[in-house]
Amino acid sequence: MDMDGASSVVLQALTQATSQDTAVLKPAEEQLRQWETQPGFYSVLLNIFNNHMLDVNVRWLAVLYFKNGIDRYWRRVAPHALSEEEKTSLRAGLITNFNEPVNQIATQIAVLIAKVARLDCPRQWPELIPILLESVKGQDGLQQHRALLTFYHVTKTLASKRLAQDRRLFQDLASGIYSFACSLWSHHTDCFLQQIYARDEAGALSSLERTLLSLKGSNILHTCRQVGPDSTCREKLEKIIILYTKVLLDFLEYHPCAFIPLIQRSLEFAVSYLFTPAGEGVTFERFIVQCMNLIKIIVKNDAYKPSKNLDDSKPESLEAHKIKTAFFTHPTLTEIGRRLVSHYFLLTEEELAMWEEDPESFGNGTSPDTQPCTEVLFLDIFHNYNQTLIPVLLDMVQNLQGQDTVDANILLHSDIYNAVGLAAYELFDNVDFDQWFKNQLLGELQVGHHRYKLIRRRVIWLIGQWISVKFKSDLRPLLYEVILSLMQDPDLVVRQLKTPSCFCKLLIFRTEQFLPYLESIFGLLFQLLQQVTECDTKMQVLHVISCVIERVNIQIRPYVGCLVQYLPLLWKQSEEHNMLRCAILTTLIHLVQGLGAESKNLYPFLLPVIQLSTDVSQPPHVYLLEDGLELWLVTLENSPAITPELLRIFQNMSALLELSSENLRTCFQIVNAYLYLSATDFLQNYAESLCRAFCNLLKDITNEGQVQVLKVVEIALKVSPILGAHMFQPLLPHVFRGIVDGERYPVVMSTYLGIMGRILLQNSSFFSSLLTQMASECSQKMDQLLGSVIEMWVDRMDNITQPERRKLSSLALLSLLPSDNSVIQDKFCGIINISVEALHDVMTEDSETGTFKDCMLMSHFEEPKLSDDEEPPTEQDKRKKLYIYVYKNVCLC
């Protein structure tokens, strides 16, 4: 590309490419695309975006095209790669000056320089870092800032490289510039502090932008008092403080032992600002979160904990433990514990008002970021220092006793209960929860004053925390009565449902105790599902409904009529809300399991839902696939008979098998379920496509995946020996070769032998034809190949661990003995030997008659008797049991 003539042409194309008129825009973009591979194009772009007189939009577009070109054509091996001569010229042009006046363009130029540096620095571009450092030292403010910006992006990019050789190069580079970078950051930090105290906000803002990273956060934090809350400088100052704390946290995470000298100062810093008056008016939310994380990591870091046997402890661990023990004194821990509960757990009056105004939307993303972080820190500190903190918390609980239930500090009351719930396991030996429930908590649940709504909600949550820790089952009916009463207040239930797992634990533990209340509570939950409007709240209600259905199982059948009628409407309304649809799918899974064979009445709604959820050509499958596959599986397992519509859904499976995703195991289970449900119909319709998919899978699949594929073939041979062998014939040479070659993975070999044993025992003519085919493919005589198979079979019999398969293999090999084939006769001893071993495995002595019998034979077929804790068998369980009965008593006799 001729540079002189090209500049004006490219400039014109870039100008047209910024047009809003598509008739002008599209041809210009096409022309620029064609020029991307022309020599000299990127040199023209460099001249254009370095020309500050041109239109900003045109220069911006030139930078973007240049940056994209680096990704596509800078590497030597890339198609249409840039020549080394042009790259040398471009590298020099990129760092001739750092005086870009437009911030956005300056950032893009810094990023593209970093991209080139990732590929070329330091080998092909050794001058980059020295020039950047020299420019940073300059007196010109703009040049200094732009060079510093580029320096930041370059070091960040080089640090991200992961190859060992690149890491070593960066370490060499970093060792040379680290002290300079530290002094630079220190210098700008000092400038900022001086300017902020001198009330020079413009100068302070300029220095602050140059600071970027520093470890002198304690000095800067005090300056928050010097700037107003609405100051532009305040916003940038907070970002810098967060960067400092992030440096500390990263240092602590990646180099805990090197951090040991900083433990004392870090704890003093964080605890001072979080738990003493020093932080009042200074701290802000993200800083509080960072400081809490700092304390938490130091407290629970395994590198700072000595071994149980002190003699086995590392010196660093002992030193760190000594520092922590000296710091976390009784007064310090007491103050931390009290402040966490009374200050950081606390809801504000404003948040309470929000709850009163809109209880359904409250908590959906409105909770402060500090709340979960506070609770985690509380748990970690409480666990590690429970001997000190248990008396502190119990004292706070004791102080609540005897207070006027309505006029007391409601917020503090709620937060103390929150702490007791979080620490339930730690308090197991110190709290008689049953007595507390009867004497105190039960009464608080019955206080009807509107101000006490928060306490009622917290008490319910508290019981949910303790119910699996320490709560007598005799008290549950009393609890259910109270819950029924409280569920008359939808606002309270909605707020409680923000923690649905807790609500589930409250409702159900022993099913027989819950059944008398099932109809009433399920009815109220269904009413609530209809009343609430927030998508998130409907999801929470559905979660609890699913939990109830799962636990009571078939007992739910008399009460689900309304829910069954409502779910199709909810599904239609949630077309734009995939997460709500996931919750509906989960509910349907438990509903189908509860209804059993009666779930066939849901097919007009159920099958289209499965069809949509598992169709990878539909965008919603990204969200719905996992739950959709689970619903598909339980629908098959509970189906009393195949239907054309249920069979038709399997058309989705080919694409799913091609994905080879983490859902592959469920896909195999679905295939097996179809085989048990109606092997003939299924194999006649889908065996060919399924066999092709399996052949492709076996080319690149783990041993475990291979076993899953082979189990499908084995089940097909079990439920339909003739049709199964015929339909999966293309897979059988793979099995045959695996036996002859002596497959090393025992589970795979065991499955190979199981498949071949079924064919030999139940379809001997097919085995003969397969042997003929394999002899032809292997260029061996049939007798020679048969001898190899029998020899390997006998030798690898120990790979088979299941008695049923051992008996199957023995019977299959014994079926060959009537033949007068000399090869078979030569293997007579080996066959008899393994058969006797298998006989010992399956024979047991009858205690009544004293004779031996085959333990695998079933004298008669009957439905199993279930205990109260056992779930009733699915339709598929019944089908499996019938196949086992037929197979063991007919095929293996």
Side-chain angles (χ1 to χ4, degrees):
M1 180 176 281
D2 177 38
M3 293 287 290
D4 296 331
S7 293
S8 59
V9 178
V10 174
L11 180 60
Q12 182 182 6
L14 287 169
T15 304
Q16 292 172 342
T18 62
S19 172
Q20 301 298 314
D21 185 352
T22 55
V24 177
L25 171 68
K26 293 298 182 183
E29 287 182 337
E30 178 59 27
Q31 181 62 72
L32 289 166
R33 190 186 64 79
Q34 293 176 8
W35 284 338
E36 284 180 356
T37 57
Q38 293 294 314
F41 176 63
Y42 294 97
S43 299
V44 173
L45 291 178
L46 176 65
N47 291 335
I48 289 174
F49 69 69
N50 275 338
N51 187 346
H52 303 160
M53 303 299 293
L54 297 177
D55 179 73
V56 170
N57 293 325
V58 172
R59 295 175 58 230
W60 169 266
L61 197 58
V63 173
L64 293 184
Y65 270 97
F66 193 106
K67 190 172 70 171
N68 292 336
I70 294 171
D71 293 331
R72 295 173 185 169
Y73 309 115
W74 198 272
R75 288 182 172 84
R76 288 194 300 271
V77 297
H80 309 292
L82 294 173
S83 67
E84 291 301 319
E85 293 76 16
E86 184 172 5
K87 288 198 288 186
T88 300
S89 173
L90 292 173
R91 285 194 293 260
L94 286 171
I95 55 176
T96 51
N97 55 66
F98 296 97
N99 58 354
E100 172 56 53
V102 181
N103 287 333
Q104 293 87 341
I105 294 178
T107 301
Q108 291 301 319
I109 292 174
V111 170
L112 69 86
I113 290 174
K115 283 179 174 286
V116 175
R118 183 179 181 88
L119 299 171
D120 291 355
C121 183
R123 292 189 181 89
Q124 286 80 35
W125 207 3
E127 67 273 20
L128 172 62
I129 299 298
I131 288 177
L132 285 175
L133 296 181
E134 191 63 34
S135 300
V136 167
K137 295 176 183 177
Q139 299 302 311
D140 182 270
L142 179 63
Q143 181 181 3
Q144 189 183 66
H145 180 276
R146 298 315 191 216
L148 196 57
L149 177 68
T150 305
F151 179 67
Y152 165 69
H153 281 284
V154 167
T155 52
K156 179 182 177 181
T157 301
L158 293 179
S160 68
K161 300 177 77 171
R162 287 291 174 261
L163 292 178
Q165 187 177 12
D166 293 329
R167 299 291 293 172
R168 284 194 295 272
L169 284 172
F170 180 71
Q171 287 170 3
D172 294 339
L173 175 67
S175 63
I177 64 175
Y178 178 73
S179 56
F180 169 76
C182 285
S183 64
L184 185 67
W185 291 329
S186 180
H187 167 72
H188 288 305
T189 300
D190 290 341
C191 289
F192 163 72
L193 292 170
Q194 294 167 10
Q195 289 159 340
I196 202 67
Y197 282 112
R199 303 289 182 179
D200 180 7
E201 185 165 329
L205 188 59
S206 178
S207 293
L208 194 56
E209 289 177 347
R210 288 163 175 75
T211 304
L212 294 179
L213 293 172
S214 173
L215 293 177
K216 297 193 174 183
S218 58
N219 291 333
I220 288 190
L221 195 59
H222 286 296
T223 64
C224 285
R225 291 194 175 94
Q226 306 295 323
V227 296
D230 299 325
S231 166
T232 305
C233 193
R234 170 81 183 220
E235 181 182 347
K236 290 188 177 292
L237 176 60
E238 290 184 356
K239 289 182 180 178
I240 294 298
I241 292 170
I242 293 304
L243 285 173
Y244 297 160
T245 54
K246 187 178 185 302
V247 169
L248 276 175
L249 286 167
D250 288 346
F251 186 16
L252 174 57
E253 180 179 357
Y254 295 109
H255 307 285
C257 291
F259 191 85
I260 289 174
L262 298 176
I263 290 177
Q264 178 75 22
R265 293 173 60 191
S266 298
L267 288 173
E268 289 173 351
F269 169 78
V271 171
S272 172
Y273 281 108
L274 295 190
F275 303 111
T276 73
E280 293 178 4
V282 176
T283 57
F284 51 96
E285 190 171 284
R286 288 191 63 198
F287 173 74
I288 292 171
V289 170
Q290 295 287 79
C291 285
M292 286 185 174
N293 285 333
L294 187 63
I295 298 171
K296 178 191 71 176
I297 296 174
I298 291 174
V299 166
K300 65 184 296 187
N301 199 313
D302 289 336
Y304 299 160
K305 295 177 180 178
S307 302
K308 291 182 179 180
N309 184 356
L310 291 180
D311 294 336
D312 297 333
S313 301
K314 295 180 180 179
E316 310 91 77
S317 300
L318 291 173
E319 182 185 356
H321 181 68
K322 182 179 178 182
I323 295 171
K324 286 165 49 180
T325 302
F327 180 82
F328 287 113
T329 61
H330 189 282
T332 300
L333 287 170
T334 299
E335 185 61 24
I336 290 174
R338 288 187 178 276
R339 290 274 292 182
L340 280 173
V341 174
S342 63
H343 182 72
Y344 290 105
F345 280 5
L346 212 59
L347 285 176
T348 65
E349 292 291 345
E350 181 182 355
E351 289 165 344
L352 275 179
M354 288 172 60
W355 182 23
E356 286 292 337
E357 183 178 335
D358 189 359
E360 188 176 341
S361 62
F362 181 77
N364 293 342
T366 61
S367 300
D369 290 339
T370 54
Q371 186 174 343
C373 189
T374 301
E375 293 179 353
V376 171
L377 176 60
F378 173 81
L379 280 172
D380 287 330
I381 288 187
F382 206 94
H383 176 72
N384 284 276
Y385 300 100
N386 53 25
Q387 296 300 313
T388 301
L389 291 175
I390 284 175
V392 174
L393 184 54
L394 293 180
D395 182 61
M396 297 179 78
V397 174
Q398 188 63 37
N399 289 337
L400 294 176
Q401 310 302 318
Q403 292 186 6
D404 186 283
T405 53
V406 176
D407 295 333
N409 187 335
I410 296 291
L411 294 176
L412 179 60
H413 196 144
S414 171
D415 293 326
I416 292 172
Y417 281 5
N418 187 16
V420 175
L422 292 172
Y425 286 97
E426 302 292 340
L427 295 170
F428 181 87
D429 294 323
N430 302 91
V431 173
D432 186 343
F433 193 81
D434 295 332
Q435 288 298 318
W436 193 25
F437 171 74
K438 290 186 290 186
N439 299 337
Q440 175 81 14
L441 301 180
L442 193 58
E444 291 185 319
L445 287 174
Q446 295 168 341
V447 177
H449 196 282
H450 73 279
R451 278 178 51 82
Y452 220 69
K453 187 182 295 185
L454 176 64
I455 300 300
R456 293 199 299 274
R457 178 252 169 182
R458 179 59 71 191
V459 169
I460 283 290
W461 174 87
L462 172 63
I463 297 169
Q465 292 295 106
W466 275 85
I467 208 159
S468 57
V469 178
K470 196 176 188 180
F471 192 78
K472 287 183 179 178
S473 60
D474 296 347
L475 296 175
R476 281 186 170 272
L478 186 58
L479 177 60
Y480 296 146
E481 295 283 356
V482 175
I483 290 174
L484 265 177
S485 174
L486 292 175
M487 287 185 73
Q488 308 301 322
D489 181 354
D491 289 355
L492 180 65
V493 179
V494 164
R495 188 66 186 99
Q496 188 60 46
L497 284 169
K498 301 303 179 184
T499 50
S501 59
C502 170
F503 205 80
C504 290
K505 286 191 289 186
L506 277 172
L507 287 179
I508 301 175
F509 189 74
R510 288 188 177 177
T511 306
E512 69 277 5
Q513 289 182 314
F514 180 72
L515 288 179
Y517 308 92
L518 173 60
E519 182 177 6
S520 301
I521 289 180
F522 192 81
L524 289 169
L525 284 170
F526 176 67
Q527 289 178 21
L528 187 64
L529 179 64
Q530 293 177 297
Q531 291 169 2
V532 297
T533 56
E534 291 279 342
C535 180
D536 183 67
T537 311
K538 283 188 179 290
M539 288 169 56
Q540 307 292 9
V541 177
L542 282 170
H543 180 93
V544 177
I545 287 175
S546 297
C547 175
V548 171
I549 296 173
E550 181 184 18
R551 292 301 299 267
V552 301
N553 205 280
I554 62 174
Q555 308 281 355
I556 200 65
R557 293 178 183 177
Y559 315 115
V560 295
C562 294
L563 179 64
V564 167
Q565 293 176 9
Y566 177 67
L567 285 178
L569 174 62
L570 184 58
W571 179 266
K572 186 176 181 180
Q573 292 172 344
S574 61
E575 188 172 358
E576 303 298 323
H577 303 283
N578 287 310
M579 297 312 295
L580 177 54
R581 283 195 160 184
C582 286
I584 296 173
L585 287 172
T586 302
T587 304
L588 285 171
I589 289 169
H590 296 304
L591 195 57
V592 169
Q593 290 171 328
L595 291 174
E598 294 180 19
S599 61
K600 68 181 185 297
N601 299 323
L602 300 180
Y603 284 4
F605 167 56
L606 199 60
L607 300 189
V609 166
I610 297 172
Q611 169 72 38
L612 174 68
S613 304
T614 59
D615 185 351
V616 297
S617 67
Q618 298 292 329
H621 91 273
V622 176
Y623 304 93
L624 308 179
L625 180 58
E626 185 175 351
D627 293 316
L629 286 171
E630 187 67 26
L631 178 60
W632 190 357
L633 178 60
V634 300
T635 299
L636 290 168
E637 289 175 340
N638 289 278
S639 177
I642 195 70
T643 68
E645 295 79 14
L646 193 54
L647 196 59
R648 196 176 302 124
I649 298 176
F650 196 80
Q651 294 172 359
N652 287 355
M653 185 57 72
S654 294
L656 291 167
L657 292 174
E658 289 175 8
L659 285 178
S660 297
S661 66
E662 64 274 7
N663 296 308
L664 205 53
R665 182 184 295 274
T666 309
C667 292
F668 287 135
Q669 290 174 327
I670 289 169
V671 174
N672 294 339
Y674 272 106
L675 287 169
Y676 281 117
L677 181 59
S678 180
T680 302
D681 292 334
F682 175 68
L683 290 173
Q684 287 175 345
N685 281 276
Y686 295 110
E688 185 177 347
S689 62
L690 194 60
C691 197
R692 280 198 305 269
F694 283 177
C695 287
N696 291 330
L697 278 173
L698 288 172
K699 294 175 184 176
D700 183 25
I701 197 170
T702 63
N703 286 325
E704 184 182 359
Q706 191 174 177
V707 169
Q708 295 298 322
V709 172
L710 296 172
K711 279 185 177 178
V712 173
V713 180
E714 195 172 19
I715 290 172
L717 293 170
K718 181 189 293 185
V719 299
S720 183
I722 306 298
L723 187 59
H726 175 71
M727 292 299 185
F728 285 110
Q729 193 278 333
L731 283 172
L732 296 178
H734 171 85
V735 175
F736 201 101
R737 281 190 292 270
I739 295 174
V740 174
D741 295 341
E743 166 64 45
R744 290 183 296 175
Y745 190 57
V747 179
V748 175
M749 187 63 165
S750 172
T751 313
Y752 284 162
L753 296 176
I755 290 172
M756 204 54 62
R758 292 183 190 280
I759 293 173
L760 178 57
L761 188 61
Q762 298 177 334
N763 199 347
S764 57
S765 60
F766 189 90
F767 178 82
S768 298
S769 63
L770 179 62
L771 184 63
T772 302
Q773 176 190 341
M774 296 306 300
S776 174
E777 290 183 10
C778 299
S779 301
Q780 291 186 30
K781 293 182 179 180
M782 283 181 57
D783 287 351
Q784 181 184 359
L785 186 59
L786 178 60
S788 299
V789 169
I790 296 173
E791 184 174 351
M792 186 60 67
W793 204 326
V794 171
D795 183 60
R796 301 296 293 275
M797 189 71 168
D798 287 342
N799 288 163
I800 307 175
T801 56
Q802 303 95 323
E804 178 188 332
R805 275 189 179 168
R806 291 179 66 83
K807 181 178 178 181
L808 170 69
S809 283
S810 299
L811 289 175
L813 290 173
L814 287 170
S815 70
L816 295 171
L817 292 183
S819 170
D820 57 2
N821 188 309
S822 60
V823 172
I824 297 174
Q825 298 302 322
D826 289 343
K827 308 298 180 184
F828 178 85
C829 291
I831 294 173
I832 293 298
N833 186 44
I834 63 169
S835 299
V836 171
E837 289 179 358
L839 192 63
H840 284 299
D841 292 336
V842 300
M843 297 300 287
T844 58
E845 186 176 1
D846 190 326
S847 58
E848 295 180 1
T849 63
T851 59
F852 284 87
K853 65 176 183 178
D854 187 341
C855 66
M856 299 187 68
L857 291 179
M858 301 170 65
S859 58
H860 58 283
F861 181 75
E862 62 179 16
E863 292 290 339
K865 295 180 180 179
L866 301 176
S867 67
D868 293 338
D869 296 331
E870 289 182 304
E871 294 183 0
T874 64
E875 296 300 305
Q876 179 161 304
D877 292 332
K878 297 174 184 176
R879 288 189 284 268
K880 281 184 178 181
K881 190 171 181 62
L882 181 59
Y883 277 121
I884 290 171
Y885 174 76
V886 172
Y887 185 73
K888 287 185 175 180
N889 289 271
V890 177
C891 302
L892 294 184
C893 289

